[in-house]
Amino acid sequence: MKTVARRTVDAVEVRAVEAPPPAGDRGRRRLTEQLRAYGFLLGGLVCFALFSWYPAIRAIVIAFQKYTPGSEAEWVGTANFNRVLDDPEFGAAWRNTLTFTLLALLIGFAIPFVLALVLNELRHARAFFRVVVYLPVMIPPVVSALLWKWFYDPGAGLANEALRFLHLPTSNWSNGADTALVSLVIVATWANMGGTVLIYLAALQSIPGELYEAAELDGASLWQRIRHVTIPQTRFVILMLMLLQIIATMQVFTEPFVITGGGPENATVTVLYLIYKYAFLYNDFGGACALSVMLLALLGLFSAVYLRLTRSSEEAA
């Protein structure tokens, strides 16, 4: 009897120990955890507000002012926008930017997807090739542009030397008005595709293998498996990366600035490069901010329409 009573007492003590804390303690603990989480987020929010939101709002304000650092700003209404619109380089900058974006989609959007498909099929040295593909991303953009500037040199550049070795006609590459923009697209594609390839590769590896096995049993060819299995399963990633690539290529600056300087004959002047010229060459910060606001409005409108269309298509599917 004593043993049974002792076990009963021990069970009661265990239940007492395992009993949940009072509601007040749980509430205080939850509040402490939330305050700790918001404390960690506060630093990021402050930095984001200070270095992203404030400059964007400040640029919108300066777009309607005559502003020079060190002097008092003067409101001029839409005069900055009118002056920018009358600039002969305005049309060329937008035309070059849109052409660059289109070429980047045609060249730089398909290549990372194809490389990801190839890497996904490898059975040996997959990690090594991932590193090789990602290496250009780790090179500083200016260093990468300088290397390509030497590569494109029409005299002693490696590109023309290789063409001469193969007994093929040489090219002016970035020094030719007809070939400069395409040359910059190649540079941008090479320098930035590593991250895109890894994202595609992660999406491909998340596709259930049973889908491919079923497709093979049905006699589907390689192209049919890609069309009916791979693309539908990675559709969301493809659409999001396309949006991000369009936004990024519309803001191309490093390649024209370092390699061509906007030339030859304004063939590579982009919107962002023109903003740089207004601000740091013409000392016209009002015009630079006006052009920035135009670019912001266009990209914001495009993003809203793009997301709306993709959401509608997904709901219809």
Side-chain angles (χ1 to χ4, degrees), residues 112-124:
F113 188 72
V114 173
L115 280 177
L117 290 174
V118 173
L119 289 178
N120 192 49
E121 295 298 324
L122 291 179
R123 294 295 177 265
H124 303 285

Side-chain angles (χ1 to χ4, degrees), residues 33-234:
E33 293 175 353
Q34 291 177 350
L35 289 176
R36 186 182 298 115
Y38 285 119
F40 281 113
L41 289 174
L42 183 60
L45 290 173
V46 169
C47 291
F48 194 76
L50 185 62
F51 296 105
S52 295
W53 295 340
Y54 173 75
I57 296 173
R58 181 65 174 153
I60 295 174
V61 173
I62 295 177
F64 298 92
Q65 294 178 334
K66 182 180 180 181
Y67 174 77
T68 303
S71 62
E72 186 175 354
E74 176 186 351
W75 287 95
V76 294
T78 59
N80 292 326
F81 292 89
N82 296 332
R83 186 172 63 259
V84 169
L85 290 171
D86 292 335
D87 188 346
E89 288 186 303
F90 178 82
W94 281 102
R95 183 172 58 254
N96 294 335
T97 301
L98 294 174
T99 304
F100 184 93
T101 301
L102 179 61
L103 291 174
L105 286 177
L106 294 175
I107 299 174
F109 192 74
I111 291 177
F113 188 72
V114 173
L115 280 177
L117 290 174
V118 173
L119 289 178
N120 192 49
E121 295 298 324
L122 291 179
R123 294 295 177 265
H124 303 285
R126 182 183 296 179
F128 169 75
F129 285 109
R130 287 181 188 175
V131 173
V132 171
V133 170
Y134 194 74
L135 274 177
V137 180
M138 295 186 284
I139 301 175
V142 174
V143 175
S144 175
L146 288 173
L147 289 174
W148 278 92
K149 185 177 182 179
W150 168 79
F151 182 82
Y152 282 146
D153 187 275
L158 185 60
N160 279 345
E161 288 294 332
L163 292 175
R164 293 189 190 99
F165 178 79
L166 298 174
H167 302 287
L168 295 174
T170 59
S171 173
N172 286 326
W173 298 106
S174 60
N175 291 331
D178 298 331
T179 57
L181 207 58
V182 178
S183 301
L184 297 188
V185 171
I186 295 173
V187 176
T189 300
W190 176 84
N192 300 306
M193 71 178 180
T196 306
V197 170
L198 293 186
I199 294 174
Y200 277 137
L201 192 58
L204 292 173
Q205 292 179 349
S206 67
I207 300 175
E210 295 82 1
L211 297 178
Y212 289 108
E213 293 175 2
E216 289 179 0
L217 290 175
D218 290 338
S221 63
L222 175 61
W223 166 244
Q224 289 174 330
R225 292 198 299 272
I226 294 174
R227 180 183 177 185
H228 297 290
V229 178
T230 304
I231 294 179
Q233 291 294 317
T234 58

Side-chain angles (χ1 to χ4, degrees), residues 58-60 62-64 81 275 284-294:
R58 181 65 174 153
I60 295 174
I62 295 177
F64 298 92
F81 292 89
I275 292 173
D284 183 0
F285 286 86
C289 290
L291 194 53
S292 301
V293 170
M294 292 181 188

